[in-house]
Amino acid sequence: MFLRLLFLGFSLGTFYALVSLGFSLVFGVTRIFNLAYGELILIGAYVAYWFVRNGLPFVAAFPVSIALLLVAGWIMTHLGFRIRQPYVLNSLLGTLGLAIILQNLYGSLFGGDYHLLNLPSLSGRIDLGLFFVSPGKFAVMVTSLTLIIVTHVFMTYTDTGLRIRATVQNREAALLSGVDVRRMSFLANFLGAALVGMAGPLFVTVHYLYPLAGIEITLLAILITILVGVGRTGAVIIGGIVLGIMESLTAYYLGGEWQEFLIALALILMLIIRPTGLLHGHGEE
Amino acid sequence: MLSKITSFLLVLLLTIVPVARPASAQEIVIGEVASLSGRFAKPGGSIHEGVETAVHQINLAGGVGGHPVRLVTRDDGGDPQKAIEAAESLCLKEKVIALTGGYVDSLVGPVAEVAEKYKVPYVAAASLQSKLTQLNRKYFFRISNLEGYVNPMTQLIGSIGAESVAVVHSTTPGATELAALLTKHAGSGGISIIAVETFKPGTSDFTPMLLKTTREGPDILISLGFFQDNLLMVKQMKENGISPGLFIGAFGLEYQALIDDLGADTDYLVGTTAWEEGINVAGTEKMATAYLSAFRDKFGREPEPLTMHGYSSAMVIIDALDRLIGSGATPGREALSGFIRQTDLPLPMERIKFDDSGEPLYYTRYIFQIKNGRRMVIFPPEAATSRVEFPAPPWDKR
C-alpha cells in the first residue's frame, strides 16, 4: 500500500508541478504576482470541455488552448510593461481584477455547474503489477514530466534559457551584462503561456471544472513557488511531488482533515528555516 | 466650454443616479439568500429557480390576495460573511416580509441568526443540522431534516442484507451530523461500521481516502459529499478498481449532469431525492403539473429534482401570506411568522407542517439507483419502480 500511495502522490505531484511551472517562470522574470493565473489555465480547460461536448476531438483543444493563451500572454506582457510603481501592489490589483472578470465570464458562458471530462480513451486501467493506474492519469503524468524536462533543458542548456535565468536572478545585473530583459520578459511570458495552454485541457480530465476552480490553482502555484524558491523552474517538479506525496500519505494515514494543517505547517517551517526555498544552493542558481 | 461641462455633468447625473423603481403600494417583497456563485452555485441555482418558479406561478395567477409578489435575491457566494450581509441588506434595506433560500447549514445558520435579530420569518429551503432548530428560534423554519435522510437510508441498508458500511463525509456541519446519525442508526441495527473518514470541500484526489475506507471491503460505501465530490470520487473509484457492493451518495447524485459527464460509469450508483416527476404526495398531482408548467414557461427546460425544495419553501411563505391577508390582518413579519407556524400544506414533495421549533414533521427522501442512465426509484417499496441491484458488479465486470 505504501508504494501505491507514493505512486499516487508522485502522479498527483507531477500534475501540480505542471500547473505551477508557468507561474514560477513568469513570476521569476517579470515579478508579476499573477492572481489570475488559475483563471488563465481554465481557458484551456473550458475549451477542452466545449470541444468534447460538441463532438470535437480532445487533442484538438491543445493547439486552440495554446493559441488563446499566447494571445493572452502577449496582451498581459504589454499591459505588464505599463504597470507603474508601486509595481507589486499594482500588478496584484490588476491581476485580481482580471481573475474576477474571467470568473464572471466563465459563469456567464458555461454557468456555475461543475464539469469533468470522462473520456473513454483515457478511462479504464493500466496494470502496473503492484497496482493500477488510469490511462488518463498516466498520460497527464507523462505529459507533465516531459514538459517539465523540456523546459528545464531549455532553461539550462540554451543561450536564451540562460539569459532568462540571468534575468530571474538579477534583473539589473542582467541588463548591465547586455541581456535584453524586455525581450526575456516577452519570451518568459510566451513560454509560460504555452505551458498554461498545455495544462488547461489536462486539468479538466483529472479535476472538476467550475468558474472558481482557478483560485485553487493559483494558491497551489504560489505554494509550490514559495516551497522551492522563486524562478526555480526545474525544482518545481520536486515541490509538486513533495506536496503530492504529503497529501496522499496524510489522507491515508492521518485522515483528510489533517492535509491542510500539515501543508500549512510545512510551509511555515520552510519560511522560517529556508526562506529562499527548499533547494536553495543546489544548482540552478 | 461651460456648456460642455454642463452636458457632461448632466449625462453623468443621468447615468449614476438610479432611476426610482415605480413601487406598487400593494407589492409584497420576499427576500432570498442564495448561493448563485461559489462552491454551492449548482444546488444554490437549482433552489433559486424553484423560488422563482413559485413567485412566477403566483403572479401569473394574480398574486397573493391580489398583491403582486416581488422576489429580491442576494448572492452569498457560498461565504457565510456574505450571507450575513445579504440577509441584513434584505431585512433592513429591502424590508422584505420573509426570507427563504439556503442550501448548506454553514450558510443557513448565519442567515437564521440575522432573521431572528430582525424578527423576519425565514423558511430555509434545505437545512439539516439539528442545532438550528434546537435553539427554538421564533422565526426559523425549514422543510428538510436529518431523519428524512437517515431513516430511508438505514432501512434500505437493512433490507438488502448488507453487513458492513463505510462512510466518507464532507466537513460541513450538516454532513458531519448526518454521518454521526447514520453510523449510530446502522450500528444499532447490527451493521458493522468499518470506517468513517472526513474530507475538506475542494479535495482533488480522493484515492487515498477511498483506498483506506474500502480496504476491508465494505458492502456499502456512503458518501456525504456534494455533487462535485461524487463526480470525482466515482471517476477515481473506477480508475483504481475500487468496487464497493453499493455506492450511496446522499447529496447531489440526482443531477442529470452527473450522468451526462460520467455516462455509463454512473450505472448502479444509488442516490437520494426529495422529489422526482411522477412521484408526488397523494392528491397533489395537479399542483405538480402546475409547477412543471410554470417552470417550463419561465426557463424553457425541465427542473432539477432539488428545484422542488426552493419551490416548496417559497410556497410555504405564499400560502401563509394568503391566509394572513384572507384573515383581514395587516401583512407584517410578526403576523406572518405566526401563520407560517400554523402551516399544514400538502405539496408535491411533502406535506409541510412544523413543530414548535420550526422543524418539519414530514420529510423523507426517496432512494433511486441509476440503471442504463436513468434514475429508478428503489425505496420506499410503495414508490419503487425498480429493484435494487446489490451487490453492483465490480468495474472490470461491467
Side-chain angles (χ1 to χ4, degrees), chain A residues 4 8 16 49 53 113-118 125 134 205-208 210 212 216 248 252 257 260, chain B residues 38-39 42 198 200 202 204 207-208 211-212 215 228 231-232 235 239-241 260-262 265 396:
Chain A
R4 187 173 185 176
L8 279 170
Y16 282 175
Y49 184 77
R53 277 280 163 265
D113 287 358
Y114 292 86
H115 300 292
L116 185 67
L117 277 185
N118 192 33
R125 284 184 290 162
S134 76
T205 66
V206 296
H207 199 280
Y208 50 77
Y210 74 113
L212 299 187
E216 289 151 30
S248 287
Y252 189 87
E257 68 271 30
E260 282 185 359
Chain B
R39 192 169 291 284
K42 188 172 182 64
T198 60
K200 298 278 286 180
S204 57
T207 316
L211 287 171
K212 184 179 181 182
R215 65 187 164 188
Q228 63 274 22
L231 196 66
L232 213 50
K235 189 172 192 288
E239 287 173 355
N240 292 281
D260 293 344
D261 278 0
L262 295 179
D265 292 347
D396 53 5

Side-chain angles (χ1 to χ4, degrees), chain A residues 188-210:
Chain A
N189 260 315
F190 266 58
L191 187 58
L195 288 166
V196 168
M198 284 294 290
L202 293 174
F203 177 81
V204 72
T205 66
V206 296
H207 199 280
Y208 50 77
L209 179 62
Y210 74 113

Side-chain angles (χ1 to χ4, degrees), chain A residues 84-241:
Chain A
R84 298 283 172 259
Q85 292 296 342
Y87 186 79
V88 174
L89 184 64
N90 284 339
S91 68
L92 271 175
L93 287 174
T95 54
L96 178 64
L98 178 64
I100 294 168
I101 290 169
L102 287 174
Q103 286 163 12
N104 283 287
L105 182 70
Y106 299 143
S108 304
L109 293 175
F110 301 97
D113 287 358
Y114 292 86
H115 300 292
L116 185 67
L117 277 185
N118 192 33
L119 300 166
S121 54
L122 293 180
S123 63
R125 284 184 290 162
I126 298 171
D127 193 346
L128 294 181
L130 286 170
F131 41 79
F132 303 106
V133 62
S134 76
K137 244 179 191 163
F138 195 71
V140 169
M141 196 173 71
V142 171
T143 311
S144 302
L145 281 172
T146 307
L147 286 170
I148 291 161
I149 290 166
V150 167
T151 307
H152 185 64
V153 167
F154 172 76
M155 297 289 281
T156 312
Y157 299 107
T158 68
D159 188 50
T160 310
L162 290 170
R163 285 168 190 268
I164 292 176
R165 280 176 56 196
T167 311
V168 171
Q169 283 166 26
N170 193 322
R171 198 178 173 88
E172 285 71 31
L175 191 66
L176 290 171
S177 309
V179 174
D180 185 348
V181 293
R182 191 180 165 92
R183 187 163 167 263
M184 291 308 114
S185 293
F186 259 113
L187 282 172
N189 260 315
F190 266 58
L191 187 58
L195 288 166
V196 168
M198 284 294 290
L202 293 174
F203 177 81
V204 72
T205 66
V206 296
H207 199 280
Y208 50 77
L209 179 62
Y210 74 113
L212 299 187
I215 296 171
E216 289 151 30
I217 303 172
T218 306
L219 288 175
L220 181 76
I222 292 171
L223 182 73
I224 292 177
T225 303
I226 293 172
L227 199 65
V228 301
V230 172
R232 306 175 61 82
T233 49
V236 162
I237 183 73
I238 308 293
I241 291 169

Side-chain angles (χ1 to χ4, degrees), chain A residues 25-80:
Chain A
L25 182 67
V26 176
F27 179 60
V29 177
T30 65
R31 297 291 156 178
I32 289 179
F33 209 83
N34 186 0
L35 292 181
Y37 179 75
E39 281 70 21
L40 292 173
I41 285 192
L42 295 194
I43 290 177
Y46 273 114
V47 164
Y49 184 77
W50 188 88
F51 266 51
V52 173
R53 277 280 163 265
N54 288 283
L56 296 165
F58 173 67
V59 288
F62 284 92
V64 175
S65 168
I66 291 168
L68 285 173
L69 262 304
L70 287 177
V71 172
W74 185 81
I75 294 169
M76 286 188 73
T77 311
H78 272 280
L79 291 175

Side-chain angles (χ1 to χ4, degrees), chain A residues 1-12 125-126 128-134 245 248-249 252-253, chain B residues 205 207-208 210-212 214-215 236-242:
Chain A
M1 183 53 75
F2 184 73
L3 278 178
R4 187 173 185 176
L5 290 168
L6 281 183
F7 182 79
L8 279 170
F10 179 81
S11 152
L12 186 66
R125 284 184 290 162
I126 298 171
L128 294 181
L130 286 170
F131 41 79
F132 303 106
V133 62
S134 76
I245 290 175
S248 287
L249 295 180
Y252 189 87
Y253 291 108
Chain B
D205 190 5
T207 316
L210 290 167
L211 287 171
K212 184 179 181 182
T214 57
R215 65 187 164 188
Q236 290 170 357
M237 281 202 306
K238 185 186 178 186
E239 287 173 355
N240 292 281
I242 297 168

